[in-house]
Amino acid sequence: MMIAMTAFAVVVAVSSFLGIEPILTLIVGFALLFLLPVALATLAFYSRGPRRTFFAGAFIGSLSAHYMLRMFSMSSSALQVAILGTLLVIAVASCGATALLARRFAERRRWHLPPSNDAG
C-alpha cells in the first residue's frame, strides 16, 4: 500500500508540471507494451486445448506493438496511443484466430496424432 501511495504521489506531482495527458499516455503505453503480453502468456500457459492455442497466438500478436511503435514519433499523443491500441487489438485477435484455424487444419488431417508404424 505504501508503494502504491508513493507512486500515486509521484504521478500527481509530475502531472502538475507536465499535464495529465503525457502521464496517461505513458501508463497506457506501458500497459499495452508490457502488461498485455505478460497477461496473454500467462493465460496461454495455464489454459488447455483451443484456449491455449488462441492465447499463444494472441501473445505473439501482442508483441507486434513493439514494431508498430516505430511508426509513431517519440512525442506520442493520446490519439497515437488510441491508434496503437486499436491496431494492437486487431493484431491480437487476428493472430489468435489464425492460431485456432491452424490447429483445426492440423487436427482435420490428424497431424496432431503420433504416427502409426503399421505400414510394415
PDB file of all heavy atoms in Angstrom, residues 32-33 36 58 60-72 78-96:
ATOM      1  N   LEU A  32       0.075  -1.507 -22.697  1.00  0.00           N
ATOM      2  CA  LEU A  32      -0.023  -2.163 -23.996  1.00  0.00           C
ATOM      3  C   LEU A  32       1.257  -2.891 -24.375  1.00  0.00           C
ATOM      4  O   LEU A  32       1.220  -3.961 -24.976  1.00  0.00           O
ATOM      5  CB  LEU A  32      -0.366  -1.143 -25.088  1.00  0.00           C
ATOM      6  CG  LEU A  32      -1.761  -0.533 -25.048  1.00  0.00           C
ATOM      7  CD1 LEU A  32      -1.912   0.501 -26.152  1.00  0.00           C
ATOM      8  CD2 LEU A  32      -2.820  -1.604 -25.168  1.00  0.00           C
ATOM      9  N   LEU A  33       2.392  -2.323 -24.040  1.00  0.00           N
ATOM     10  CA  LEU A  33       3.662  -2.905 -24.466  1.00  0.00           C
ATOM     11  C   LEU A  33       4.157  -4.017 -23.558  1.00  0.00           C
ATOM     12  O   LEU A  33       4.836  -4.939 -24.028  1.00  0.00           O
ATOM     13  CB  LEU A  33       4.726  -1.816 -24.560  1.00  0.00           C
ATOM     14  CG  LEU A  33       4.544  -0.800 -25.679  1.00  0.00           C
ATOM     15  CD1 LEU A  33       5.581   0.301 -25.568  1.00  0.00           C
ATOM     16  CD2 LEU A  33       4.623  -1.472 -27.027  1.00  0.00           C
ATOM     17  N   LEU A  36       0.130  -6.391 -21.246  1.00  0.00           N
ATOM     18  CA  LEU A  36      -0.719  -7.229 -22.092  1.00  0.00           C
ATOM     19  C   LEU A  36      -0.007  -8.510 -22.532  1.00  0.00           C
ATOM     20  O   LEU A  36      -0.581  -9.601 -22.409  1.00  0.00           O
ATOM     21  CB  LEU A  36      -1.217  -6.441 -23.307  1.00  0.00           C
ATOM     22  CG  LEU A  36      -2.119  -7.215 -24.262  1.00  0.00           C
ATOM     23  CD1 LEU A  36      -3.429  -7.575 -23.579  1.00  0.00           C
ATOM     24  CD2 LEU A  36      -2.378  -6.385 -25.502  1.00  0.00           C
ATOM     25  N   ALA A  58      -2.355 -15.087 -29.674  1.00  0.00           N
ATOM     26  CA  ALA A  58      -2.600 -13.708 -29.256  1.00  0.00           C
ATOM     27  C   ALA A  58      -1.355 -13.108 -28.601  1.00  0.00           C
ATOM     28  O   ALA A  58      -1.069 -11.912 -28.779  1.00  0.00           O
ATOM     29  CB  ALA A  58      -3.780 -13.654 -28.296  1.00  0.00           C
ATOM     30  N   ILE A  60       1.760 -13.789 -29.394  1.00  0.00           N
ATOM     31  CA  ILE A  60       2.652 -13.415 -30.495  1.00  0.00           C
ATOM     32  C   ILE A  60       2.147 -12.141 -31.164  1.00  0.00           C
ATOM     33  O   ILE A  60       2.930 -11.256 -31.517  1.00  0.00           O
ATOM     34  CB  ILE A  60       2.764 -14.570 -31.514  1.00  0.00           C
ATOM     35  CG1 ILE A  60       3.363 -15.796 -30.857  1.00  0.00           C
ATOM     36  CG2 ILE A  60       3.565 -14.153 -32.732  1.00  0.00           C
ATOM     37  CD1 ILE A  60       4.735 -15.588 -30.257  1.00  0.00           C
ATOM     38  N   GLY A  61       0.838 -12.013 -31.315  1.00  0.00           N
ATOM     39  CA  GLY A  61       0.277 -10.786 -31.894  1.00  0.00           C
ATOM     40  C   GLY A  61       0.506  -9.571 -31.017  1.00  0.00           C
ATOM     41  O   GLY A  61       0.692  -8.460 -31.512  1.00  0.00           O
ATOM     42  N   SER A  62       0.518  -9.770 -29.706  1.00  0.00           N
ATOM     43  CA  SER A  62       0.728  -8.632 -28.805  1.00  0.00           C
ATOM     44  C   SER A  62       2.156  -8.111 -28.868  1.00  0.00           C
ATOM     45  O   SER A  62       2.411  -6.945 -28.561  1.00  0.00           O
ATOM     46  CB  SER A  62       0.382  -9.017 -27.365  1.00  0.00           C
ATOM     47  OG  SER A  62       1.339  -9.917 -26.844  1.00  0.00           O
ATOM     48  N   LEU A  63       3.090  -8.947 -29.277  1.00  0.00           N
ATOM     49  CA  LEU A  63       4.467  -8.487 -29.424  1.00  0.00           C
ATOM     50  C   LEU A  63       4.637  -7.540 -30.606  1.00  0.00           C
ATOM     51  O   LEU A  63       5.625  -6.819 -30.685  1.00  0.00           O
ATOM     52  CB  LEU A  63       5.409  -9.684 -29.566  1.00  0.00           C
ATOM     53  CG  LEU A  63       5.473 -10.604 -28.358  1.00  0.00           C
ATOM     54  CD1 LEU A  63       6.420 -11.757 -28.650  1.00  0.00           C
ATOM     55  CD2 LEU A  63       5.901  -9.854 -27.118  1.00  0.00           C
ATOM     56  N   SER A  64       3.656  -7.523 -31.502  1.00  0.00           N
ATOM     57  CA  SER A  64       3.741  -6.622 -32.656  1.00  0.00           C
ATOM     58  C   SER A  64       3.634  -5.155 -32.252  1.00  0.00           C
ATOM     59  O   SER A  64       3.978  -4.273 -33.040  1.00  0.00           O
ATOM     60  CB  SER A  64       2.659  -6.963 -33.679  1.00  0.00           C
ATOM     61  OG  SER A  64       1.381  -6.690 -33.133  1.00  0.00           O
ATOM     62  N   ALA A  65       3.179  -4.886 -31.038  1.00  0.00           N
ATOM     63  CA  ALA A  65       3.091  -3.490 -30.582  1.00  0.00           C
ATOM     64  C   ALA A  65       4.463  -2.842 -30.544  1.00  0.00           C
ATOM     65  O   ALA A  65       4.596  -1.651 -30.801  1.00  0.00           O
ATOM     66  CB  ALA A  65       2.449  -3.423 -29.209  1.00  0.00           C
ATOM     67  N   HIS A  66       5.489  -3.626 -30.250  1.00  0.00           N
ATOM     68  CA  HIS A  66       6.848  -3.078 -30.220  1.00  0.00           C
ATOM     69  C   HIS A  66       7.289  -2.650 -31.618  1.00  0.00           C
ATOM     70  O   HIS A  66       8.020  -1.681 -31.775  1.00  0.00           O
ATOM     71  CB  HIS A  66       7.823  -4.099 -29.643  1.00  0.00           C
ATOM     72  CG  HIS A  66       7.549  -4.404 -28.206  1.00  0.00           C
ATOM     73  ND1 HIS A  66       7.968  -3.589 -27.187  1.00  0.00           N
ATOM     74  CD2 HIS A  66       6.872  -5.418 -27.622  1.00  0.00           C
ATOM     75  CE1 HIS A  66       7.580  -4.104 -26.028  1.00  0.00           C
ATOM     76  NE2 HIS A  66       6.906  -5.201 -26.265  1.00  0.00           N
ATOM     77  N   TYR A  67       6.832  -3.365 -32.640  1.00  0.00           N
ATOM     78  CA  TYR A  67       7.168  -2.991 -34.011  1.00  0.00           C
ATOM     79  C   TYR A  67       6.299  -1.840 -34.498  1.00  0.00           C
ATOM     80  O   TYR A  67       6.761  -0.976 -35.231  1.00  0.00           O
ATOM     81  CB  TYR A  67       7.037  -4.193 -34.939  1.00  0.00           C
ATOM     82  CG  TYR A  67       7.957  -5.311 -34.556  1.00  0.00           C
ATOM     83  CD1 TYR A  67       7.464  -6.485 -34.022  1.00  0.00           C
ATOM     84  CD2 TYR A  67       9.327  -5.164 -34.690  1.00  0.00           C
ATOM     85  CE1 TYR A  67       8.309  -7.501 -33.639  1.00  0.00           C
ATOM     86  CE2 TYR A  67      10.189  -6.175 -34.311  1.00  0.00           C
ATOM     87  CZ  TYR A  67       9.677  -7.342 -33.793  1.00  0.00           C
ATOM     88  OH  TYR A  67      10.519  -8.337 -33.412  1.00  0.00           O
ATOM     89  N   MET A  68       5.014  -1.849 -34.095  1.00  0.00           N
ATOM     90  CA  MET A  68       4.119  -0.766 -34.513  1.00  0.00           C
ATOM     91  C   MET A  68       4.484   0.552 -33.851  1.00  0.00           C
ATOM     92  O   MET A  68       4.178   1.612 -34.377  1.00  0.00           O
ATOM     93  CB  MET A  68       2.667  -1.126 -34.185  1.00  0.00           C
ATOM     94  CG  MET A  68       2.090  -2.194 -35.066  1.00  0.00           C
ATOM     95  SD  MET A  68       0.330  -2.424 -34.815  1.00  0.00           S
ATOM     96  CE  MET A  68       0.304  -3.320 -33.271  1.00  0.00           C
ATOM     97  N   LEU A  69       5.150   0.490 -32.723  1.00  0.00           N
ATOM     98  CA  LEU A  69       5.536   1.703 -32.007  1.00  0.00           C
ATOM     99  C   LEU A  69       6.496   2.554 -32.839  1.00  0.00           C
ATOM    100  O   LEU A  69       6.528   3.768 -32.710  1.00  0.00           O
ATOM    101  CB  LEU A  69       6.162   1.333 -30.664  1.00  0.00           C
ATOM    102  CG  LEU A  69       6.433   2.474 -29.705  1.00  0.00           C
ATOM    103  CD1 LEU A  69       5.112   3.113 -29.296  1.00  0.00           C
ATOM    104  CD2 LEU A  69       7.182   1.987 -28.497  1.00  0.00           C
ATOM    105  N   ARG A  70       7.255   1.917 -33.708  1.00  0.00           N
ATOM    106  CA  ARG A  70       8.207   2.642 -34.550  1.00  0.00           C
ATOM    107  C   ARG A  70       7.516   3.558 -35.560  1.00  0.00           C
ATOM    108  O   ARG A  70       8.137   4.464 -36.090  1.00  0.00           O
ATOM    109  CB  ARG A  70       9.107   1.661 -35.284  1.00  0.00           C
ATOM    110  CG  ARG A  70      10.000   0.900 -34.348  1.00  0.00           C
ATOM    111  CD  ARG A  70      10.887  -0.034 -35.084  1.00  0.00           C
ATOM    112  NE  ARG A  70      11.654  -0.826 -34.131  1.00  0.00           N
ATOM    113  CZ  ARG A  70      12.488  -1.758 -34.474  1.00  0.00           C
ATOM    114  NH1 ARG A  70      12.679  -2.048 -35.737  1.00  0.00           N
ATOM    115  NH2 ARG A  70      13.144  -2.430 -33.547  1.00  0.00           N
ATOM    116  N   MET A  71       6.235   3.315 -35.832  1.00  0.00           N
ATOM    117  CA  MET A  71       5.502   4.166 -36.768  1.00  0.00           C
ATOM    118  C   MET A  71       5.231   5.545 -36.179  1.00  0.00           C
ATOM    119  O   MET A  71       5.004   6.495 -36.907  1.00  0.00           O
ATOM    120  CB  MET A  71       4.165   3.529 -37.155  1.00  0.00           C
ATOM    121  CG  MET A  71       4.289   2.254 -37.932  1.00  0.00           C
ATOM    122  SD  MET A  71       2.709   1.623 -38.533  1.00  0.00           S
ATOM    123  CE  MET A  71       1.698   1.564 -37.081  1.00  0.00           C
ATOM    124  N   PHE A  72       5.239   5.639 -34.873  1.00  0.00           N
ATOM    125  CA  PHE A  72       4.895   6.881 -34.207  1.00  0.00           C
ATOM    126  C   PHE A  72       6.150   7.602 -33.751  1.00  0.00           C
ATOM    127  O   PHE A  72       7.172   6.995 -33.480  1.00  0.00           O
ATOM    128  CB  PHE A  72       3.983   6.608 -33.007  1.00  0.00           C
ATOM    129  CG  PHE A  72       2.718   5.905 -33.387  1.00  0.00           C
ATOM    130  CD1 PHE A  72       2.487   4.604 -32.985  1.00  0.00           C
ATOM    131  CD2 PHE A  72       1.773   6.544 -34.152  1.00  0.00           C
ATOM    132  CE1 PHE A  72       1.331   3.944 -33.339  1.00  0.00           C
ATOM    133  CE2 PHE A  72       0.609   5.903 -34.520  1.00  0.00           C
ATOM    134  CZ  PHE A  72       0.392   4.605 -34.111  1.00  0.00           C
ATOM    135  N   ALA A  78      -2.377  11.232 -27.172  1.00  0.00           N
ATOM    136  CA  ALA A  78      -3.449  10.300 -26.833  1.00  0.00           C
ATOM    137  C   ALA A  78      -4.034   9.673 -28.095  1.00  0.00           C
ATOM    138  O   ALA A  78      -4.412   8.498 -28.095  1.00  0.00           O
ATOM    139  CB  ALA A  78      -4.534  11.018 -26.038  1.00  0.00           C
ATOM    140  N   LEU A  79      -4.087  10.427 -29.189  1.00  0.00           N
ATOM    141  CA  LEU A  79      -4.602   9.893 -30.448  1.00  0.00           C
ATOM    142  C   LEU A  79      -3.694   8.786 -30.974  1.00  0.00           C
ATOM    143  O   LEU A  79      -4.168   7.740 -31.424  1.00  0.00           O
ATOM    144  CB  LEU A  79      -4.730  11.009 -31.488  1.00  0.00           C
ATOM    145  CG  LEU A  79      -5.192  10.563 -32.875  1.00  0.00           C
ATOM    146  CD1 LEU A  79      -6.605  10.001 -32.801  1.00  0.00           C
ATOM    147  CD2 LEU A  79      -5.117  11.714 -33.853  1.00  0.00           C
ATOM    148  N   GLN A  80      -2.388   8.982 -30.887  1.00  0.00           N
ATOM    149  CA  GLN A  80      -1.458   7.955 -31.349  1.00  0.00           C
ATOM    150  C   GLN A  80      -1.544   6.698 -30.487  1.00  0.00           C
ATOM    151  O   GLN A  80      -1.460   5.588 -31.004  1.00  0.00           O
ATOM    152  CB  GLN A  80      -0.032   8.493 -31.353  1.00  0.00           C
ATOM    153  CG  GLN A  80       0.211   9.510 -32.444  1.00  0.00           C
ATOM    154  CD  GLN A  80       1.608  10.087 -32.386  1.00  0.00           C
ATOM    155  OE1 GLN A  80       2.281  10.002 -31.352  1.00  0.00           O
ATOM    156  NE2 GLN A  80       2.052  10.685 -33.483  1.00  0.00           N
ATOM    157  N   VAL A  81      -1.725   6.852 -29.205  1.00  0.00           N
ATOM    158  CA  VAL A  81      -1.877   5.690 -28.330  1.00  0.00           C
ATOM    159  C   VAL A  81      -3.189   4.980 -28.630  1.00  0.00           C
ATOM    160  O   VAL A  81      -3.252   3.748 -28.615  1.00  0.00           O
ATOM    161  CB  VAL A  81      -1.779   6.105 -26.850  1.00  0.00           C
ATOM    162  CG1 VAL A  81      -2.152   4.963 -25.929  1.00  0.00           C
ATOM    163  CG2 VAL A  81      -0.384   6.591 -26.538  1.00  0.00           C
ATOM    164  N   ALA A  82      -4.244   5.731 -28.945  1.00  0.00           N
ATOM    165  CA  ALA A  82      -5.522   5.115 -29.300  1.00  0.00           C
ATOM    166  C   ALA A  82      -5.397   4.329 -30.608  1.00  0.00           C
ATOM    167  O   ALA A  82      -5.936   3.221 -30.729  1.00  0.00           O
ATOM    168  CB  ALA A  82      -6.603   6.176 -29.423  1.00  0.00           C
ATOM    169  N   ILE A  83      -4.678   4.879 -31.576  1.00  0.00           N
ATOM    170  CA  ILE A  83      -4.450   4.169 -32.838  1.00  0.00           C
ATOM    171  C   ILE A  83      -3.625   2.914 -32.592  1.00  0.00           C
ATOM    172  O   ILE A  83      -3.927   1.838 -33.128  1.00  0.00           O
ATOM    173  CB  ILE A  83      -3.775   5.101 -33.873  1.00  0.00           C
ATOM    174  CG1 ILE A  83      -4.739   6.204 -34.292  1.00  0.00           C
ATOM    175  CG2 ILE A  83      -3.295   4.315 -35.083  1.00  0.00           C
ATOM    176  CD1 ILE A  83      -4.094   7.291 -35.121  1.00  0.00           C
ATOM    177  N   LEU A  84      -2.582   3.034 -31.786  1.00  0.00           N
ATOM    178  CA  LEU A  84      -1.759   1.875 -31.448  1.00  0.00           C
ATOM    179  C   LEU A  84      -2.584   0.808 -30.745  1.00  0.00           C
ATOM    180  O   LEU A  84      -2.468  -0.385 -31.044  1.00  0.00           O
ATOM    181  CB  LEU A  84      -0.577   2.288 -30.564  1.00  0.00           C
ATOM    182  CG  LEU A  84       0.337   1.168 -30.091  1.00  0.00           C
ATOM    183  CD1 LEU A  84       1.063   0.541 -31.257  1.00  0.00           C
ATOM    184  CD2 LEU A  84       1.314   1.675 -29.058  1.00  0.00           C
ATOM    185  N   GLY A  85      -3.437   1.215 -29.822  1.00  0.00           N
ATOM    186  CA  GLY A  85      -4.303   0.258 -29.125  1.00  0.00           C
ATOM    187  C   GLY A  85      -5.266  -0.444 -30.063  1.00  0.00           C
ATOM    188  O   GLY A  85      -5.472  -1.656 -29.959  1.00  0.00           O
ATOM    189  N   THR A  86      -5.836   0.300 -31.013  1.00  0.00           N
ATOM    190  CA  THR A  86      -6.747  -0.296 -31.988  1.00  0.00           C
ATOM    191  C   THR A  86      -6.019  -1.295 -32.877  1.00  0.00           C
ATOM    192  O   THR A  86      -6.504  -2.405 -33.115  1.00  0.00           O
ATOM    193  CB  THR A  86      -7.400   0.800 -32.843  1.00  0.00           C
ATOM    194  OG1 THR A  86      -8.063   1.721 -31.988  1.00  0.00           O
ATOM    195  CG2 THR A  86      -8.388   0.202 -33.829  1.00  0.00           C
ATOM    196  N   LEU A  87      -4.846  -0.908 -33.366  1.00  0.00           N
ATOM    197  CA  LEU A  87      -4.052  -1.824 -34.185  1.00  0.00           C
ATOM    198  C   LEU A  87      -3.635  -3.054 -33.391  1.00  0.00           C
ATOM    199  O   LEU A  87      -3.589  -4.165 -33.925  1.00  0.00           O
ATOM    200  CB  LEU A  87      -2.819  -1.111 -34.738  1.00  0.00           C
ATOM    201  CG  LEU A  87      -3.072  -0.040 -35.788  1.00  0.00           C
ATOM    202  CD1 LEU A  87      -1.778   0.681 -36.137  1.00  0.00           C
ATOM    203  CD2 LEU A  87      -3.691  -0.651 -37.026  1.00  0.00           C
ATOM    204  N   LEU A  88      -3.356  -2.869 -32.120  1.00  0.00           N
ATOM    205  CA  LEU A  88      -2.952  -3.986 -31.280  1.00  0.00           C
ATOM    206  C   LEU A  88      -4.104  -4.959 -31.050  1.00  0.00           C
ATOM    207  O   LEU A  88      -3.911  -6.176 -31.079  1.00  0.00           O
ATOM    208  CB  LEU A  88      -2.409  -3.473 -29.954  1.00  0.00           C
ATOM    209  CG  LEU A  88      -1.809  -4.505 -29.024  1.00  0.00           C
ATOM    210  CD1 LEU A  88      -0.656  -5.227 -29.702  1.00  0.00           C
ATOM    211  CD2 LEU A  88      -1.337  -3.849 -27.756  1.00  0.00           C
ATOM    212  N   VAL A  89      -5.304  -4.437 -30.842  1.00  0.00           N
ATOM    213  CA  VAL A  89      -6.475  -5.311 -30.674  1.00  0.00           C
ATOM    214  C   VAL A  89      -6.702  -6.123 -31.943  1.00  0.00           C
ATOM    215  O   VAL A  89      -6.972  -7.336 -31.890  1.00  0.00           O
ATOM    216  CB  VAL A  89      -7.726  -4.476 -30.313  1.00  0.00           C
ATOM    217  CG1 VAL A  89      -8.997  -5.284 -30.470  1.00  0.00           C
ATOM    218  CG2 VAL A  89      -7.608  -3.945 -28.905  1.00  0.00           C
ATOM    219  N   ILE A  90      -6.569  -5.484 -33.099  1.00  0.00           N
ATOM    220  CA  ILE A  90      -6.733  -6.190 -34.371  1.00  0.00           C
ATOM    221  C   ILE A  90      -5.657  -7.268 -34.519  1.00  0.00           C
ATOM    222  O   ILE A  90      -5.939  -8.400 -34.934  1.00  0.00           O
ATOM    223  CB  ILE A  90      -6.705  -5.195 -35.542  1.00  0.00           C
ATOM    224  CG1 ILE A  90      -7.953  -4.312 -35.493  1.00  0.00           C
ATOM    225  CG2 ILE A  90      -6.612  -5.918 -36.876  1.00  0.00           C
ATOM    226  CD1 ILE A  90      -7.905  -3.125 -36.429  1.00  0.00           C
ATOM    227  N   ALA A  91      -4.405  -6.937 -34.184  1.00  0.00           N
ATOM    228  CA  ALA A  91      -3.315  -7.906 -34.311  1.00  0.00           C
ATOM    229  C   ALA A  91      -3.497  -9.079 -33.362  1.00  0.00           C
ATOM    230  O   ALA A  91      -3.294 -10.240 -33.747  1.00  0.00           O
ATOM    231  CB  ALA A  91      -1.972  -7.219 -34.055  1.00  0.00           C
ATOM    232  N   VAL A  92      -3.894  -8.806 -32.124  1.00  0.00           N
ATOM    233  CA  VAL A  92      -4.085  -9.876 -31.141  1.00  0.00           C
ATOM    234  C   VAL A  92      -5.215 -10.801 -31.575  1.00  0.00           C
ATOM    235  O   VAL A  92      -5.072 -12.035 -31.559  1.00  0.00           O
ATOM    236  CB  VAL A  92      -4.347  -9.278 -29.740  1.00  0.00           C
ATOM    237  CG1 VAL A  92      -4.906 -10.304 -28.792  1.00  0.00           C
ATOM    238  CG2 VAL A  92      -3.075  -8.677 -29.186  1.00  0.00           C
ATOM    239  N   ALA A  93      -6.327 -10.233 -31.985  1.00  0.00           N
ATOM    240  CA  ALA A  93      -7.476 -11.050 -32.387  1.00  0.00           C
ATOM    241  C   ALA A  93      -7.177 -11.853 -33.653  1.00  0.00           C
ATOM    242  O   ALA A  93      -7.508 -13.042 -33.735  1.00  0.00           O
ATOM    243  CB  ALA A  93      -8.695 -10.168 -32.604  1.00  0.00           C
ATOM    244  N   SER A  94      -6.528 -11.237 -34.626  1.00  0.00           N
ATOM    245  CA  SER A  94      -6.252 -11.963 -35.869  1.00  0.00           C
ATOM    246  C   SER A  94      -5.200 -13.052 -35.672  1.00  0.00           C
ATOM    247  O   SER A  94      -5.306 -14.134 -36.248  1.00  0.00           O
ATOM    248  CB  SER A  94      -5.830 -10.990 -36.972  1.00  0.00           C
ATOM    249  OG  SER A  94      -4.620 -10.359 -36.637  1.00  0.00           O
ATOM    250  N   CYS A  95      -4.188 -12.810 -34.852  1.00  0.00           N
ATOM    251  CA  CYS A  95      -3.185 -13.845 -34.594  1.00  0.00           C
ATOM    252  C   CYS A  95      -3.777 -14.995 -33.779  1.00  0.00           C
ATOM    253  O   CYS A  95      -3.465 -16.165 -34.036  1.00  0.00           O
ATOM    254  CB  CYS A  95      -1.969 -13.256 -33.878  1.00  0.00           C
ATOM    255  SG  CYS A  95      -0.959 -12.235 -34.947  1.00  0.00           S
ATOM    256  N   GLY A  96      -4.626 -14.690 -32.834  1.00  0.00           N
ATOM    257  CA  GLY A  96      -5.290 -15.749 -32.067  1.00  0.00           C
ATOM    258  C   GLY A  96      -6.207 -16.587 -32.943  1.00  0.00           C
ATOM    259  O   GLY A  96      -6.220 -17.820 -32.856  1.00  0.00           O
TER     260      GLY A  96
END
